[in-house]
């Protein structure tokens, strides 16, 4: 969201409340305190979280189901005051938020439920872009983690690699690519001619475009999210069709992830185009 945190704090709070209600408040049991230490997310912790979100100018929030290892449920938010000296000359800086669900949640509730939950989470947010996708959930800072991830990501192109904190520094109003659910706001949706014009450019009957209020839309690629598998010939043609349309607005990271080269990053961004 290319908006200052002060403009969207209440909206982010509503989305967090929606997420907490959907997964159960017990699914978020820990938060990072100002010293960077994990603390139990009890009543006092929730009050601290609310005050930090609603009263700070550039808050960073990290909530988890566990303080150890890879989390199943997680909420991350990186807020920025875009008129502060740190960001005023950076047109790519944005506020960004993410909500994690384990695959068992999708399997238990079904894709239609998860799609509606994603729409409910997105509803208050004045997003420029967003997505819902299968993703690798890995601790990339561990030795060998990036090399292991690099091995698998090119085989399974439908899996996303999450790097929200880095992306929020320079994505601006561009888009990350084509995903199971691709949320489009301004200015990209306007440049495409709006939801109706975008729908007219998509030929597959398995792709749907749902117009949302506020000049926004969501594109759905099939019923279920798919990982694909290049070794088995599952190339995800629906993703390729949407990616070709979004190509002029694709975001290219300035710096590669640890263990990835700049050419690796180019291949990743263009995995549905080349």
């Amino acid at each position: 969201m290319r908006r200052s945190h002060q403009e969207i704090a209440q909206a982010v709070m509503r989305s967090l409340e929606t997420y907490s209600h959907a997964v159960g408040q017990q699914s978020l049991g820990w938060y990072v305190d100002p010293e960077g230490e994990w603390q139990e997310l009890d009543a006092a912790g929730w009050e601290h979280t609310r005050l930090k979100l609603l009263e700070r100018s550039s808050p960073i929030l990290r909530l988890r189901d566990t303080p150890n290892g890879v989390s199943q449920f997680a909420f991350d938010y990186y807020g920025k005051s875009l008129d502060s000296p740190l960001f005023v000359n950076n047109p790519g800086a944005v506020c960004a938020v993410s909500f994690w669900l384990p695959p068992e949640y999708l399997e238990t509730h079904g894709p239609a439920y998860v799609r509606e939950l994603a729409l409910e989470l997105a509803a208050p947010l004045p997003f420029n872009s967003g997505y819902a996708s299968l993703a690798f959930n890995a601790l990339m800072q561990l030795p060998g983690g990036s090399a292991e991830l690099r091995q698998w990501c090119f085989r399974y192109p439908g899996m996303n690699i999450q790097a929200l904190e880095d992306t929020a520094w320079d994505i601006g109003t561009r888009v990350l690519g084509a995903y199971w659910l691709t949320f489009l706001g301004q200015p990209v949706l306007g440049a495409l001619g709006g939801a109706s014009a975008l729908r007219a450019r998509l030929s597959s009957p398995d792709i749907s475009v749902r117009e949302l209020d506020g000049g926004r839309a969501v594109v759905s690629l099939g019923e279920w999210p798919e990982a694909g598998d290049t070794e088995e010939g599952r190339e995800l043609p629906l993703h390729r069709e949407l990616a070709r349309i979004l190509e002029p607005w694709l975001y290219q990271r300035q710096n590669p992830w640890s263990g990835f080269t700049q050419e690796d990053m180019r291949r990743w961004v263009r995995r549905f185009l080349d």
Side-chain angles (χ1 to χ4, degrees):
M1 294 165 283
R2 178 68 184 163
R3 303 284 188 97
S4 281
H5 169 69
Q6 297 91 327
E7 299 178 56
I8 63 174
Q10 293 285 350
V12 175
M13 188 73 245
R14 289 198 298 275
S15 293
L16 173 56
E17 290 170 348
T18 296
Y19 176 70
S20 178
H21 177 75
V23 302
Q25 191 162 326
Q26 72 282 357
S27 295
L28 293 176
W30 299 84
Y31 74 100
V32 175
D33 69 13
E35 286 70 46
E37 300 294 330
W38 288 103
Q39 303 292 342
E40 286 194 46
L41 192 59
D42 52 15
W46 273 109
E47 182 63 16
H48 166 80
T49 297
R50 291 188 181 94
L51 290 176
K52 185 175 182 179
L53 180 58
L54 298 177
E55 297 182 0
R56 299 283 183 86
S57 62
S58 297
I60 296 175
L61 296 175
R62 299 179 65 203
L63 312 182
R64 298 286 187 274
D65 60 341
T66 176
N68 301 310
V70 175
S71 299
Q72 296 293 297
F73 295 95
F75 168 88
D76 288 321
Y77 175 66
Y78 298 93
K80 297 178 178 66
S81 179
L82 299 184
D83 57 359
S84 72
L86 185 60
F87 303 114
V88 69
N89 293 317
N90 180 0
V94 298
C95 294
V97 62
S98 69
F99 311 86
W100 284 79
L101 300 169
E104 293 82 5
Y105 191 93
L106 173 67
E107 292 163 358
T108 299
H109 293 85
Y113 177 89
V114 172
R115 182 185 293 107
E116 291 306 310
L117 174 58
L119 286 165
E120 191 175 356
L121 294 172
L125 304 173
F127 59 80
N128 300 101
S129 67
Y131 64 91
S133 171
L134 298 175
F136 291 105
N137 191 3
L139 299 176
M140 292 181 66
Q141 69 270 28
L142 294 180
S146 294
E148 185 75 11
L149 187 59
R150 183 184 180 281
Q151 174 185 347
W152 295 109
C153 70
F154 291 110
R155 177 173 177 178
Y156 301 106
M159 300 287 290
N160 189 45
I161 300 174
Q162 173 74 305
L164 185 68
E165 183 174 10
D166 293 341
T167 301
W169 280 91
D170 61 356
I171 188 173
T173 57
R174 289 165 289 176
V175 299
L176 277 171
Y179 295 94
W180 175 50
L181 304 180
T182 303
F183 291 85
L184 298 173
Q186 301 303 318
V188 172
L189 186 61
L192 289 166
S196 297
L198 173 58
R199 185 182 295 108
R201 294 179 61 180
L202 294 162
S203 60
S204 174
D206 295 321
I207 301 178
S208 66
V209 179
R210 180 169 171 176
E211 187 169 7
L212 308 175
D213 60 6
R216 305 174 303 164
V218 59
V219 185
S220 299
L221 306 182
E223 180 183 5
W224 286 83
E226 295 186 44
D229 189 334
T230 56
E231 292 188 7
E232 295 186 3
R234 298 202 300 272
E235 300 286 349
L236 302 180
L238 302 184
H239 292 66
R240 290 183 174 276
E241 184 174 351
L242 179 59
R244 284 194 293 270
I245 293 174
L246 298 179
E247 182 178 3
W249 300 278
L250 283 181
Y251 164 67
Q252 174 68 60
R253 281 178 56 90
Q254 298 299 311
N255 300 304
W257 295 307
S258 174
F260 286 68
T261 66
Q262 198 65 51
E263 176 59 19
D264 290 334
M265 297 306 303
R266 190 201 69 81
R267 285 180 58 206
W268 176 252
V269 170
R270 299 188 58 82
R271 63 194 184 280
F272 296 124
L273 295 167
D274 294 339

